[in-house]
Amino acid sequence: MDSVLTKTAGAISIVRETETIPVGEIVIKTATGKYICTVCGYVYDPAVGDPGRNIPPGAAFEDLPDDWRCPRCKNDKTKFNKA
Ligand SMILES: [Zn+2]
């Protein structure tokens, strides 16, 4: 990273900017466990759950039953990526 910093003065401010953006927030975002369906773009938000399938708010994606399907396109969990 140091070599990038020394290349141009402009790069320094850009790098510093990304450093100021709390990295912790990104980590927290991942930790909240939103998953996005790669087929239709549906986002599973554990804070919401999936009322249509009796998944209560707070249920992590990992805790969803293996036969859980995307409410929108009916594809299975393997089609989901971490959002
Ligand atoms: Zn889907």
Side-chain angles (χ1 to χ4, degrees), residues 35-38 44 53 60-70 74-82:
Y35 275 74
I36 186 164
C37 175
T38 57
Y44 175 77
R53 294 288 306 268
F61 183 81
E62 291 86 350
D63 293 337
L64 297 177
D66 286 338
D67 63 351
W68 183 85
R69 307 276 158 158
C70 173
K74 309 302 180 196
N75 275 288
D76 61 36
K77 290 173 71 179
T78 62
K79 298 294 193 296
F80 280 73
N81 280 337
K82 274 186 178 174

Side-chain angles (χ1 to χ4, degrees), residues 6-72:
T6 50
K7 270 182 184 174
T8 63
I12 291 176
S13 58
I14 293 170
V15 170
R16 289 189 68 186
E17 222 172 281
T18 52
E19 280 177 352
T20 342
I21 294 171
V23 176
E25 194 177 313
I26 297 165
V27 175
I28 290 166
K29 263 186 186 174
T30 320
T32 59
K34 282 188 183 179
Y35 275 74
I36 186 164
C37 175
T38 57
V39 178
C40 73
Y42 168 85
V43 175
Y44 175 77
D45 185 350
V48 178
D50 180 11
R53 294 288 306 268
N54 290 323
I55 305 295
F61 183 81
E62 291 86 350
D63 293 337
L64 297 177
D66 286 338
D67 63 351
W68 183 85
R69 307 276 158 158
C70 173
R72 199 182 288 171

Side-chain angles (χ1 to χ4, degrees), residues 2 5 31 41 72 83:
D2 281 347
L5 282 174
R72 199 182 288 171

